[in-house]
């Protein structure tokens, strides 16, 4: 997002409809390319009194650039981060699985994680403010509306955030490529926090001391590995399945 821009942009039908249904008050206006069939979006925006601007194709393409927008863009308020203490202020049985993302720098990965965990429900994400990606237009494009369902917090210090979660009753696990407990076989306690390291460096040494256990995805070809977004989706599906069956 360029400096001074006072909004995020959502591109495409799915992202815009998701925001219209879940958080319409965050939408400043909709931009629709002239000639595009968008009756459902027009109806939703009218019911929420959201301004709609119809733009000629050439001007719309100038705004969207090389992004595939399907003729629809929503200008929305900057993403609002959740306060971690508010996320933790729930009865123990209702607390979400929290993903502590350590030094994740690729917006594609963060967007993919938000999209995946939104499908499972019951997850929250914590990001450090420094040396980490934040929620940008690029993240929102990949998330495809997942950001509407997943609280995301930013904290000055990830170690502090993990300690706060532990005091709230969380067990803390770390996702590692090898030498961890088999994710599919180990006994798990909830509420659970999962630390995910960067693809390049894994979990930083300073965070390893907070872990109650390490978890590994069992694989046949042990010299290969998943990218961080895919691995996180696998971890979170298994956590979702376990929690659902408890």
């Amino acid at each position: 997002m360029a400096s001074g821009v006072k909004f995020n942009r959502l591109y495409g039908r799915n992202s815009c409809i998701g925001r219209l249904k879940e958080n319409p008050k965050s939408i400043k206006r909709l931009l629709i390319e002239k000639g595009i069939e968008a009756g459902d979006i027009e109806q939703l925006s009218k019911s929420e009194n959201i301004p709609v601007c119809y733009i000629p194709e050439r001007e719309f393409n100038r705004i969207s650039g090389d992004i595939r927008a399907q003729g629809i863009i929503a200008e929305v308020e900057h993403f609002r981060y959740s306060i971690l203490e508010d996320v933790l202020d729930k009865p123990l049985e209702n607390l979400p699985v929290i993903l502590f993302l350590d030094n994740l720098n690729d917006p594609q990965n963060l967007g993919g994680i938000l999209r995946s965990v939104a499908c499972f429900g019951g997850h929250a994400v914590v990001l450090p403010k420094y040396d980490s990606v934040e929620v940008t237009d690029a993240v929102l494009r990949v998330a495809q509306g997942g950001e509407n369902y997943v609280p995301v917090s930013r904290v000055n210090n990830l170690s502090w955030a993990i300690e706060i979660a532990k005091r709230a009753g969380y067990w803390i696990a770390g996702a590692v490529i090898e030498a961890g407990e088999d994710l599919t076989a180990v006994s798990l306690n909830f509420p659970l926090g999962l630390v995910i390291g960067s693809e390049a460096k894994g979990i930083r040494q300073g965070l390893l001391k907070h872990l109650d256990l390490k978890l590994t995805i069992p694989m046949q070809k042990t010299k290969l590995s998943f990218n961080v977004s895919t691995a996180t989706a696998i971890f979170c599906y298994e956590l979702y399945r376990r929690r659902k069956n408890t």
Side-chain angles (χ1 to χ4, degrees):
M1 178 66 63
S3 176
V5 176
K6 297 181 179 180
F7 51 80
N8 286 122
R9 281 190 174 130
L10 304 179
Y11 298 85
R13 183 175 295 274
N14 288 342
S15 292
C16 293
I17 288 179
R19 186 62 67 95
L20 277 164
K21 290 182 176 179
E22 297 300 327
N23 189 10
K25 294 187 183 303
S26 70
I27 301 175
K28 294 175 176 288
R29 66 172 181 166
L30 284 163
L31 309 179
I32 298 179
E33 182 184 331
K34 286 183 177 179
I36 292 294
E37 176 57 44
D40 51 346
I41 289 177
E42 291 170 322
Q43 186 174 359
L44 284 168
S45 60
K46 184 177 181 180
S47 67
E48 297 292 343
N49 296 315
I50 296 169
V52 177
C53 298
Y54 297 92
I55 299 177
E57 180 182 4
R58 185 173 180 179
E59 175 65 9
F60 188 91
N61 290 339
R62 184 191 66 78
I63 294 171
S64 60
D66 59 357
I67 298 168
R68 186 170 178 269
Q70 301 172 304
I72 301 167
I73 296 172
E75 293 179 347
V76 302
E77 295 174 350
H78 278 310
F79 183 80
R80 292 189 179 183
Y81 293 95
S82 299
I83 298 171
L84 179 58
E85 289 87 343
D86 291 343
V87 174
L88 296 172
D89 187 22
K90 296 178 181 178
L92 205 61
E93 64 274 13
N94 294 333
L95 287 169
V97 170
I98 298 180
L99 304 180
F100 297 93
L101 304 183
D102 181 28
N103 285 8
L104 203 67
N105 291 304
D106 187 343
Q108 302 287 323
N109 280 330
L110 178 56
I113 288 169
L114 291 177
R115 185 173 183 176
S116 294
V117 300
C119 292
F120 303 134
H123 287 75
V125 168
V126 177
L127 303 171
K129 286 185 178 179
Y130 308 103
D131 297 322
S132 172
V133 67
E134 57 184 294
V135 180
T136 61
D137 285 4
V139 171
L140 296 174
R141 284 200 299 275
V142 180
Q144 287 289 297
E147 77 282 354
N148 297 310
Y149 307 97
V150 183
V152 180
S153 303
R154 292 183 81 202
V155 297
N156 288 322
N157 187 294
L158 213 54
S159 289
W160 169 86
I162 292 171
E163 282 301 312
I164 289 290
K166 293 188 86 163
R167 288 202 289 270
Y170 274 76
W171 285 73
I172 304 297
V176 296
I177 295 175
E178 55 187 6
E181 300 283 347
D182 184 332
L183 171 66
T184 64
V186 67
S187 177
L188 296 173
N189 295 300
F190 293 91
L192 184 72
L194 181 65
V195 182
I196 306 285
S198 68
E199 287 185 358
K201 299 179 180 179
I203 300 172
R204 285 177 295 156
Q205 192 66 35
L207 298 181
L208 291 173
K209 64 184 180 182
H210 298 292
L211 303 183
D212 297 304
L213 73 162
K214 298 176 183 178
L215 298 175
T216 297
I217 299 170
M219 294 183 291
Q220 293 294 319
K221 304 296 183 182
T222 55
K223 292 185 179 180
L224 301 176
S225 63
F226 298 104
N227 71 29
V228 68
S229 176
T230 302
T232 302
I234 294 170
F235 276 109
C236 290
Y237 170 73
E238 181 64 15
L239 299 182
Y240 160 78
R241 187 186 69 82
R242 296 286 199 93
R243 194 173 190 183
K244 184 179 179 182
N245 292 330
T246 56

